[in-house]
């Protein structure tokens, strides 16, 4: 009888021992009884053969089913999982389940399943494509089938479902189930290098430095201004690795960036690129996971969770736009994909490349301190000029839909010149509030105590914190007046206003309301680059690394809110946003400019950004952080707590503070106090921030204190969690 250590997906920070008739390798999935349930667990340890040391061995339950013949999580990823649950103080079973595709978490087979493929029938093989001349799509599909069979999914994507159905209905082709053949390093037989630009001096230095890191662990920060060719450096740096049979893992912050990144890498190397993001089906994600694990894919591109993708022969990890907040998971296992990429690269002994025009202060501090290699790109590629930034004083100026007359004049000049104008508004919807013009009462969400956002196109109010909606009221609930007016501006209102101010100009709005649906954002971006629109109105979706060669003006309508935030990271986030937005203009041969409309033109942050750029701001911000004793010069964790009764949440965190103080008097604690958004979905939210200038003592206190926190009287009456290295205090 063997004793097996299993990580079970339950919110308990411990492993569980089961019995089995033989030893099992670590990384194998098993189905085990857990109370009244049957759960899929993962063997995480070498079998414990020392039976006398196990307490109550006769009461241990047996493993019901072994789901895998061989480990589905390799030794490197298991070691990374162990680091994850120790560093983030999280439940081991939940960590390991986070690392697996959804279907494998449910106990589905890890073996490659048959996939639908379309091939010619005997009738089709005797038929000439000339018979399909009147149906060009059907002809193109038929001619493709004459060369080789195609997957059903790919066929419908490339040629359209109607054309595929017609060819099958005519008995020219048939659908068959085929088990895909595993072809390790398949890309080596098809890789060809498309025409590539000659790198300039700075790019050549960066590429040479990265080439020297092959086969060993090193972290490089590529700090380059927007449009300086950071992606080109990545493309040329991974070329020799791909030709040597090594795999590349690339992380991007947003789903919206994935299509353009994938197309660029596919075009350069003419190989199949694996894609991983949340809009894929569970089956599609599992298939990419399988192909990466078997070594079939040379390049895998994905969002945050792609860091868990197994690789047969890893060569390099690249984190694009490494400063982006979306790399930090904000619920459940609160990991940071950038930090995890460094840990994984170290275990594989491969290089990690972090790229950004606006590096996070943590990364910049590591580079300036010599812990990372620091590579610079100070000039835009192709001779493009840097965007000129200006401040527009909106004080005492009449505003039309939130836009000053002076800014409208500048916009008209760029439009008349045949160029595109990007108008940035950091709020979706028509207006951020609806209030009574008679008594001043604001229509608020009772569950969040926050104003409803007006969505005029749907004639509804929506809470952007809990997603609750309600019909547009006809009168004030407080005084019954019918004089309801909107306050503030959102993307919908700006779109409506620009339609009346520029009736002859075609425009498009891009926010999370308008780009829902598969490929909608990608199609819209393609239409923009075809110059189908001259006015672009949007939120932060437009700031993330998109290439708009015809945009020559970026207008930012309101950046004042972040200047006075209680979050010490707000200035950094605003500076990154402004700099990234400025990079959308003047990326080709046309010079670009940016205008920041503000009621605080003399604010030192705005003055520093406009006159000196992000690099100067960031280095000055590091000096301020050091003087104030803030990250990255100290370590932090936050204990978050929420409850329907605010007194319960406050009492739990007060008890937690006493526990930490009893464990170590050296740690600095702030709170408990309300989160920046105090109430959400009917629950009051509080937090306790703990800091220390060294990481080890801070984690030691937390590790020692967690059992006592779980034993507090309020622990079972509230929701609480621990966030290591927090980036968001809302």
């Amino acid at each position: 009888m063997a004793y097996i250590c299993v990580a079970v997906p339950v919110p308990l920070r411990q492993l569980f021992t089961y019995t089995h008739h033989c030893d099992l390798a670590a990384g194998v999935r098993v189905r085990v009884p857990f109370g009244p349930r049957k759960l899929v667990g993962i063997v995480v340890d070498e079998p414990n053969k020392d039976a006398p040391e196990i307490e109550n061995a006769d009461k241990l339950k047996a493993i019901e089913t072994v789901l895998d013949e061989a480990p589905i999580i390799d030794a490197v990823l298991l070691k990374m999982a162990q680091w994850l649950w120790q560093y983030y103080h999280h439940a081991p079973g939940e960590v390991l389940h986070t690392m697996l595709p959804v279907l494998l978490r449910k106990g589905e087979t890890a073996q490659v399943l048959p996939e639908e493929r379309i091939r010619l029938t005997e009738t089709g093989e005797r038929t000439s494509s000339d018979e399909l001349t009147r149906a060009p799509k059907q002809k193109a599909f038929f001619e493709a089938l004459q060369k080789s069979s195609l997957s059903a999914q790919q066929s419908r994507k490339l040629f359209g479902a109607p054309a595929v159905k017609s060819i099958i209905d005519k008995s020219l082709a048939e659908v068959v189930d085929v088990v895909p053949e595993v072809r390790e390093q398949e890309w080596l037989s098809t890789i060809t290098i498309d025409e590539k630009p000659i790198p300039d001096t700075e790019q050549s230095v960066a590429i040479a430095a990265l080439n020297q890191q092959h086969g060993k662990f090193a972290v490089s920060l590529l700090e380059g201004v927007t449009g300086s060719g950071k992606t080109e450096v990545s493309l040329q740096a991974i070329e020799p690795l791909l030709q040597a049979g090594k795999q590349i893992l690339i992380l991007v912050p947003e789903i919206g960036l994935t299509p353009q990144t994938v197309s660029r890498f596919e075009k350069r190397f003419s190989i199949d690129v694996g894609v991983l993001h949340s809009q894929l089906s569970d089956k599609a994600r599992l298939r990419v996971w399988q192909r990466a694990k078997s070594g079939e894919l040379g390049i895998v591109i994905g969002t945050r969770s792609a860091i868990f993708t197994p690789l047969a022969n890893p060569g390099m990890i690249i984190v694009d736009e490494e400063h982006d907040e979306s790399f930090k998971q904000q619920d459940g296992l609160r990991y940071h994909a950038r930090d995890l990429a460094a840990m994984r690269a170290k275990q594989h002994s491969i290089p990690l490349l972090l790229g950004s025009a606006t590096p996070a202060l943590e990364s910049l501090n590591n580079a300036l301190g010599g812990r990372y290699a620091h590579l610079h790109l100070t000039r835009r590629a192709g001779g493009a000029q840097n965007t000129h930034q200006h401040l527009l004083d909106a004080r005492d100026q009449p505003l039309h839909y939130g836009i000053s007359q002076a800014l409208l004049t500048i916009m008209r000049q760029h439009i008349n010149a045949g160029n595109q104008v990007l108008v940035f508004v950091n709020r979706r919807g028509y207006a951020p509030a609806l209030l009574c013009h008679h008594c001043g009462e604001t229509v608020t969400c009772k569950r969040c105590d926050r104003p409803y956002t007006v969505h005029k196109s749907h004639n509804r109010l929506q809470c952007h914190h809990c997603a609750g909606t309600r019909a547009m009221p006809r009168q004030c609930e407080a005084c019954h007046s019918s004089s309801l007016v909107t306050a503030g501006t959102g993307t919908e209102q700006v779109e409506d206003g620009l339609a009346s101010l520029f009736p002859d100009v075609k425009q498009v709005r891009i926010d999370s309301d308008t780009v829902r649906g598969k490929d909608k954002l990608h199609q819209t971006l393609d239409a923009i680059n075809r110059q189908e629109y001259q006015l672009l109105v949007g939120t932060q979706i437009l700031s993330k690394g998109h290439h708009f060669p015809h945009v020559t003006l970026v207008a930012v309508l309101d950046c004042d809110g972040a200047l006075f935030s209680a979050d010490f990271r707000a200035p950094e986030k605003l500076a990154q946003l402004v700099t990234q937005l400025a990079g959308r203009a003047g990326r080709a041969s046309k010079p670009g400019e940016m205008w920041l409309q503000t009621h605080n033109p003399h604010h030192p942050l705005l003055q520093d950004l406009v006159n000196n750029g992000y690099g100067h701001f960031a280095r000055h911000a590091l000096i301020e952080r050091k003087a104030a004793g803030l990250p990255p010069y100290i370590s932090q964790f936050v204990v978050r707590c929420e409850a329907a009764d605010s007194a319960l949440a406050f009492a739990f965190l007060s008890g937690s503070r006493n526990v930490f103080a009893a464990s170590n008097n050296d740690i600095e604690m702030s709170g408990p106090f309300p989160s920046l958004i105090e109430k959400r979905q009917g629950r009051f939210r509080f937090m306790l921030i703990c800091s220390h200038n060294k990481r080890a003592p801070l984690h030691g206190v937390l590790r020692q204190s967690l059992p006592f926190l779980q034993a507090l009287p309020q622990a079972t009456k509230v929701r609480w969690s621990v966030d290591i290295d927090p980036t968001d205090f809302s």
Side-chain angles (χ1 to χ4, degrees):
M1 183 68 66
Y3 295 90
I4 311 295
C5 201
V6 179
V8 181
V10 292
L12 298 173
R13 295 175 175 87
Q14 66 182 87
L15 301 170
F16 298 88
T17 304
Y18 289 84
T19 62
H20 197 57
H21 60 80
C22 64
D23 296 344
L24 293 176
V28 168
R29 290 176 305 151
V30 291
R31 185 170 276 111
V32 296
F34 193 87
R37 296 178 291 169
K38 303 288 188 291
L39 300 177
V40 175
I42 298 168
V43 178
V44 297
D45 221 357
E46 288 300 316
N48 187 347
K49 300 182 178 70
D50 209 357
E53 290 188 7
I54 297 180
E55 296 180 10
N56 302 317
D58 56 327
K59 295 182 180 180
L60 294 180
K61 296 180 179 180
I63 289 172
E64 289 195 351
T65 313
V66 179
L67 299 174
D68 304 305
E69 295 178 2
I72 62 168
I73 301 180
D74 61 34
V76 170
L77 287 176
L78 275 174
K79 190 175 180 181
M80 189 172 79
Q82 186 175 3
W83 176 84
L84 261 170
W85 77 61
Q86 289 175 349
Y87 184 80
Y88 290 102
H89 303 269
H90 202 77
E94 291 186 344
V95 168
L96 282 161
H97 268 236
T98 300
M99 297 174 68
L100 291 176
V102 172
L103 292 179
L104 296 187
R105 297 178 206 170
K106 295 178 178 178
E108 299 288 338
T109 178
Q111 301 299 316
V112 179
L113 297 174
E115 66 174 17
E116 287 188 340
R117 293 192 70 83
I118 301 178
R119 67 184 182 189
L120 291 179
T121 60
E122 291 183 5
T123 304
E125 289 175 351
R126 295 193 301 267
T127 303
S128 169
S129 61
D130 293 337
E131 297 181 24
L132 300 168
T133 306
R134 297 177 63 183
K137 284 192 175 181
Q138 293 180 35
K139 182 181 180 182
F141 175 48
F142 184 77
E143 289 175 344
L145 289 175
Q146 288 178 321
K147 297 175 184 176
S148 67
S149 65
L150 298 170
S151 76
Q153 183 181 4
Q154 185 183 20
S155 299
R156 296 184 183 100
K157 182 178 178 181
L158 293 176
F159 303 101
V164 173
K165 185 176 184 299
S166 296
I167 292 295
I168 294 172
D169 289 346
K170 292 174 182 176
S171 300
L172 299 177
E174 60 183 352
V175 180
V176 292
D177 287 335
V178 178
V179 177
E181 183 182 347
V182 176
R183 299 176 182 175
E184 188 175 348
Q185 297 182 336
E186 180 183 17
W187 73 90
L188 285 174
S189 60
T190 60
I191 187 170
T192 57
I193 310 301
D194 192 34
E195 184 180 343
K196 58 186 178 183
I198 299 173
D200 62 25
T201 304
E202 290 181 331
Q203 290 174 327
S204 298
V205 169
I207 294 165
L210 293 171
N211 287 341
Q212 290 176 358
Q213 297 172 356
H214 293 173
K216 60 184 180 183
F217 171 64
V219 183
S220 300
L221 174 63
L222 181 60
E223 183 181 3
V225 299
T226 51
S228 59
K230 294 184 290 295
T231 305
E232 184 58 39
V233 169
S234 302
L235 285 162
Q236 299 203 25
I238 69 173
E239 182 182 318
L241 288 169
L242 286 170
Q243 292 174 327
K246 300 286 186 180
Q247 293 170 285
I248 311 298
L249 175 61
I250 302 170
L251 301 184
V252 294
E254 299 282 351
I255 296 170
L257 286 179
T258 310
Q260 67 179 40
T261 308
V262 170
S263 62
R264 189 163 180 184
F265 279 79
E266 282 181 339
K267 183 181 179 185
R268 173 62 60 90
F269 299 113
S270 301
I271 62 174
D272 196 12
V273 172
V275 183
L276 287 168
H277 55 68
S278 59
Q279 288 186 355
L280 293 177
S281 67
D282 290 343
K283 282 187 177 180
R285 288 176 71 90
L286 176 59
R287 185 67 189 116
V288 174
W289 186 92
Q290 292 168 330
R291 295 184 68 196
K293 188 175 188 293
S294 64
E296 289 182 63
L297 292 171
I299 300 174
V300 177
I301 298 175
T303 48
R304 180 178 57 229
S305 61
I307 189 60
F308 300 120
T309 307
L311 300 173
N313 198 6
M316 180 183 276
I317 300 175
I318 298 172
V319 181
D320 190 28
E321 306 290 355
E322 62 86 30
H323 67 278
D324 200 280
E325 266 193 293
S326 62
F327 284 124
K328 169 77 170 172
Q329 175 75 25
Q330 297 296 354
D331 53 24
L333 174 59
R334 299 170 185 260
Y335 67 92
H336 201 302
R338 181 187 63 220
D339 298 340
L340 208 48
M343 177 57 61
R344 186 169 182 187
K346 184 176 182 179
Q347 292 180 0
H348 284 304
S349 294
I350 60 174
L352 166 66
L353 175 60
L354 308 175
S356 177
T358 55
L361 295 189
E362 288 80 4
S363 300
L364 184 60
N365 185 53
N366 282 328
L368 296 175
R371 291 176 289 277
Y372 295 172
H374 200 179
L375 309 174
H376 294 272
L377 299 177
T378 60
R379 297 187 299 271
R380 282 187 152 187
Q385 301 175 22
N386 288 333
T387 302
H388 296 290
Q389 299 183 36
H390 311 277
L391 295 175
L392 196 153
D393 189 351
R395 292 176 296 180
D396 295 325
Q397 299 294 317
L399 299 179
H400 308 275
Y401 308 98
I403 310 172
S404 66
Q405 185 59 51
L407 189 53
L408 288 171
T409 302
I410 297 168
M411 291 168 60
R412 174 59 74 180
Q413 290 171 353
H414 283 262
I415 290 171
N416 289 343
N419 299 318
Q420 291 175 322
V421 173
L422 191 160
V423 181
F424 175 79
V425 191
N426 206 19
R427 289 191 181 99
R428 63 187 176 95
Y430 187 84
L434 181 70
L435 54 86
C436 176
H437 195 50
H438 177 68
C439 71
E441 183 76 10
T442 303
V443 185
T444 58
C445 171
K446 299 297 186 287
R447 301 179 70 206
C448 303
D449 284 345
R450 307 287 285 193
Y452 277 109
T453 299
V454 180
H455 284 259
K456 201 171 182 180
S457 57
H458 300 293
N459 197 34
R460 294 191 71 80
L461 301 179
Q462 181 181 349
C463 175
H464 286 181
H465 301 286
C466 70
T469 63
R470 58 166 288 183
M472 194 83 73
R474 296 181 179 274
Q475 60 185 21
C476 174
E477 293 176 355
C479 70
H480 306 294
S481 169
S482 58
S483 300
L484 297 176
V485 295
T486 59
T489 55
T491 49
E492 274 187 38
Q493 186 175 162
V494 172
E495 180 188 34
D496 288 352
L498 291 176
S500 61
L501 294 168
F502 299 95
D504 53 330
V505 177
K506 196 171 181 184
Q507 64 170 316
V508 62
R509 172 164 58 95
I510 300 179
D511 55 31
S512 56
D513 293 327
T514 61
V515 295
R516 287 176 183 158
K518 192 177 180 182
D519 297 330
K520 182 69 184 294
L521 176 59
H522 186 44
Q523 293 166 4
T524 305
L525 294 174
D526 285 344
I528 290 171
N529 287 333
R530 291 194 300 269
Q531 289 188 279
E532 293 181 17
Y533 306 102
Q534 274 191 281
L535 268 174
L536 325 176
V537 179
T539 55
Q540 290 192 38
I541 296 175
L542 288 173
S543 69
K544 306 284 181 68
H546 302 298
H547 180 65
F548 300 130
H550 306 291
V551 170
T552 57
L553 171 65
V554 173
V556 179
L557 296 194
D558 183 16
C559 61
D560 292 341
L563 298 175
F564 308 102
S565 171
D567 184 356
F568 71 87
R569 295 183 189 274
E572 176 190 1
K573 295 173 184 176
L574 174 61
Q576 289 167 341
L577 176 62
V578 168
T579 306
Q580 292 287 338
L581 281 167
R584 299 316 110 213
R587 293 177 68 92
S589 58
K590 303 172 182 178
E593 62 178 338
M594 176 189 213
W595 284 87
L596 290 162
Q597 182 177 286
T598 174
H599 285 85
N600 298 275
H602 301 300
H603 194 284
L605 167 58
L606 297 180
Q607 288 290 334
D608 193 12
L609 267 180
V610 168
N611 295 311
N612 303 316
Y614 180 82
H616 183 274
F617 157 81
R619 285 153 179 81
H620 187 72
L622 280 172
I623 296 171
E624 291 180 342
R625 293 268 188 98
K626 188 172 186 179
L630 291 170
Y633 298 99
I634 63 164
S635 292
Q636 286 184 328
F637 70 78
V638 173
V639 182
R640 304 177 191 273
C641 183
E642 59 179 62
D645 182 353
S646 61
L648 275 176
F650 189 85
F652 173 79
L653 291 181
S654 297
S656 301
R657 181 177 181 130
N658 294 335
V659 170
F660 294 139
S663 177
N664 188 331
N665 284 324
D666 289 340
I667 68 168
E668 183 180 329
M669 290 180 280
S670 301
F673 49 73
S675 301
L676 296 181
I677 300 175
E678 182 178 356
K679 190 180 179 187
R680 179 180 284 171
Q681 295 181 329
R683 303 178 73 86
F684 293 92
R685 309 160 72 244
F686 288 79
M687 60 183 174
L688 174 66
I689 303 175
C690 301
S691 310
H692 197 281
N693 55 7
K694 291 184 180 178
R695 181 175 284 118
L698 194 68
H699 283 254
V701 167
L702 182 57
R703 190 171 294 110
Q704 184 179 340
S705 302
L706 277 172
F708 297 98
L709 265 60
Q710 292 167 343
L712 287 172
Q714 303 85 3
T716 57
K717 302 173 184 177
V718 299
R719 289 183 197 159
W720 65 279
S721 61
V722 177
D723 186 1
I724 306 295
D725 303 329
T727 60
D728 180 24
F729 296 98
S730 62

